[in-house]
């Protein structure tokens, strides 16, 4: 049996966060219910503005809709320029955590503080080409550090292999700075890739295509957790 309370060696819980970007929006309620039934820990909500990334998705209205459909934490990933413009609306809509990109956030310290002031957990995301060191000064303030394992913008892309070493560096930074931040990976996470990033120190795994394109999406959530290899 796969225990939902599985913990990794460092004592941090393994979290699986299905990305609703790959859900069927014509039956979003069913897909959200499926994620819950499958034992998802968080729901990952990808906000794209067509500027920071070459794709456009949704905003506060959809966050509010998903909030009404589920009690699971909503892990909102802001792939937008000037993310602070959205903080109030997204917090009001029911975001549990907001993650902003360091590449779009010149005033990271202030922006992290503002997210927390609104009662949300604060995360920072790094594009593949952005070094881990760029968050060194704020590491201890973070609730979540997201290492992108593809270039953001689309679901269903191929995992970038050099991400594994980057996750190791991110784990080292969090440990060195005494940060208790969740270490999340996002992009191309599937049964074939998840163990590599888990072994490198990640504990929170976003998966879109791997779950929603699976033959049995509900069981795939448990299969991803089991692929980390530490749960019985
Ligand atoms: C990509 C998004 C991801 C995406 C992941 O820009 O941030 O959350 O939905 O999708 P998969 O798991 O299909 O790579
Ligand atoms: Zn994402």
């Amino acid at each position: 049996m796969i225990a939902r309370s599985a913990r990794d060696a460092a004592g941090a819980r393994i979290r699986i966060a299905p990305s609703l970007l790959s859900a069927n929006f014509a039956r979003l309620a069913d897909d959200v219910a499926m994620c819950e039934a499958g034992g998802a820990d968080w729901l990952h909500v990808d906000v794209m503005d067509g500027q920071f990334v070459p794709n456009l998705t949704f905003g506060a209205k959809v966050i509010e809709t998903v909030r009404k459909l589920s009690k699971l934490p909503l892990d909102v990933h802001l792939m937008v320029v000037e993310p602070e413009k959205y903080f109030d609306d997204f917090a009001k809509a029911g975001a549990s955590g907001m993650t902003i990109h360091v590449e779009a956030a010149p005033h990271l310290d202030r922006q992290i503080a503002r997210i927390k002031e609104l009662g949300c957990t604060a995360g920072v995301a790094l594009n593949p080409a952005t070094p881990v060191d760029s968050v060194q000064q704020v590491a201890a303030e973070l609730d979540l550090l997201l290492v992108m394992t593809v270039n953001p913008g689309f679901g269903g892309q191929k995992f970038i292999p050099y991400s594994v070493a980057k996750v190791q560096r991110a784990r080292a930074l969090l440990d060195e700075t005494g940060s208790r931040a969740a270490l999340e990976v996002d992009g191309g996470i599937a049964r074939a890739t998840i163990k590599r990033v888990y072994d490198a120190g990640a504990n929170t795994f976003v998966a879109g295509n791997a779950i929603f394109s699976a033959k049995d999406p509900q069981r795939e959530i448990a299969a991803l957790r089991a692929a980390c290899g530490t749960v019985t």
Side-chain angles (χ1 to χ4, degrees):
M1 198 190 120
I2 310 298
R4 278 204 62 198
S5 60
R7 286 172 189 275
D8 69 11
R13 198 170 185 293
I14 294 172
R15 296 189 198 89
I16 305 290
S19 167
L20 297 181
L21 188 62
S22 295
N24 182 341
F25 274 72
R27 47 181 179 81
L28 187 59
D30 293 344
D31 277 0
V32 167
M34 178 281 290
C35 291
E36 285 197 349
D41 298 281
W42 292 354
L43 296 174
H44 185 82
V45 182
D46 287 302
V47 177
M48 304 183 188
D49 67 351
Q51 287 194 68
F52 181 68
V53 289
N55 197 6
L56 193 60
T57 56
F58 39 70
K61 189 78 193 157
V62 168
I63 296 171
E64 200 183 315
T65 302
V66 178
R67 179 69 295 159
K68 286 181 190 149
L69 294 173
S70 174
K71 294 244 181 309
L72 289 178
L74 299 187
D75 174 34
V76 180
H77 179 189
L78 284 80
M79 286 160 277
V80 303
V81 297
E82 300 184 282
E84 63 281 359
K85 282 186 177 169
Y86 306 93
F87 291 168
D88 288 63
D89 284 354
F90 288 5
K92 212 180 290 164
S96 311
M98 289 190 256
T99 299
I100 58 175
H101 271 261
V102 65
E103 305 84 4
H107 303 292
L108 208 49
D109 182 82
R110 184 197 301 158
Q111 288 159 312
I112 291 166
R114 180 63 187 148
I115 292 172
K116 290 182 178 179
E117 232 171 62
L118 289 165
C120 296
T121 54
V124 170
L126 305 173
N127 277 341
T130 304
V132 168
D133 274 359
S134 59
V135 289
Q136 204 257 337
Q137 294 299 330
V138 291
E141 306 302 320
L142 298 179
D143 297 306
L144 181 144
L145 177 59
L146 168 53
V147 174
M148 288 305 299
T149 42
V150 297
N151 287 294
F154 304 93
Q157 301 183 81
K158 212 171 154 310
F159 177 85
I160 296 174
Y162 69 68
S163 308
V164 176
K166 187 169 175 187
V167 171
Q168 276 169 355
R169 281 195 292 279
R171 167 49 61 205
L173 174 68
L174 295 179
D175 291 349
E176 277 159 26
T177 54
S179 174
R180 298 175 60 83
L183 181 49
E184 182 175 63
V185 284
D186 181 6
I189 300 300
R191 289 193 210 189
T193 52
I194 195 167
K195 186 164 167 47
R196 287 154 69 195
V197 273
Y198 170 78
D199 286 344
N203 53 28
T204 304
F205 306 90
V206 177
N209 189 57
I211 292 174
F212 289 98
S213 299
K215 262 203 193 106
D216 185 340
Q218 189 171 320
R219 289 186 64 177
E220 196 59 26
I221 296 170
L224 289 172
R225 203 187 302 279
C228 292
T230 60
V231 290
T232 51

